[in-house]
Amino acid sequence: HRDLHSFPTRRSSDLGIRQISAGLKHVLALQSNGTVLAWGDNSAGALGTGSTASVAGKVLVTGLSGASQVSAGGDFSLAIRPVQAVSLP
């Protein structure tokens, strides 16, 4: 029997990942710089790639930056970005 603690491991923080959320058949990873990676089943467009082609490897969700939280649902995805205040003269 092997001691699992003797194997080297990498934490998600070592990879620049702040949060991971798993949906029914897809995964989102929020990077520390506020960008989002996605992979898995995309038949409903849940990956945000602009198509419905599934992705085996990680793909950057384009047009989304500054996210502070992500959530993968059954066949949809959500991202929260902070509200930016606008000053009027």
Side-chain angles (χ1 to χ4, degrees):
H1 132 7
R2 292 182 173 175
D3 179 9
L4 294 178
H5 298 288
S6 65
F7 291 97
T9 60
R10 291 188 76 171
R11 296 179 303 204
S12 60
S13 60
D14 294 340
L15 303 172
I17 303 297
R18 187 179 342 160
Q19 179 193 0
I20 295 175
S21 181
L24 185 61
K25 296 181 180 180
H26 71 289
V27 179
L28 302 174
L30 174 62
Q31 299 187 103
S32 56
N33 65 2
T35 59
V36 178
L37 299 172
W39 62 95
D41 180 66
N42 195 30
S43 58
L47 301 184
T49 60
S51 78
T52 55
S54 294
V55 179
K58 296 179 288 277
V59 60
L60 182 66
V61 178
T62 59
L64 177 61
S65 62
S68 60
Q69 191 171 0
V70 293
S71 181
D75 61 358
F76 63 93
S77 300
L78 303 170
I80 295 176
R81 293 191 323 188
V83 176
Q84 296 179 357
V86 176
S87 298
L88 299 175

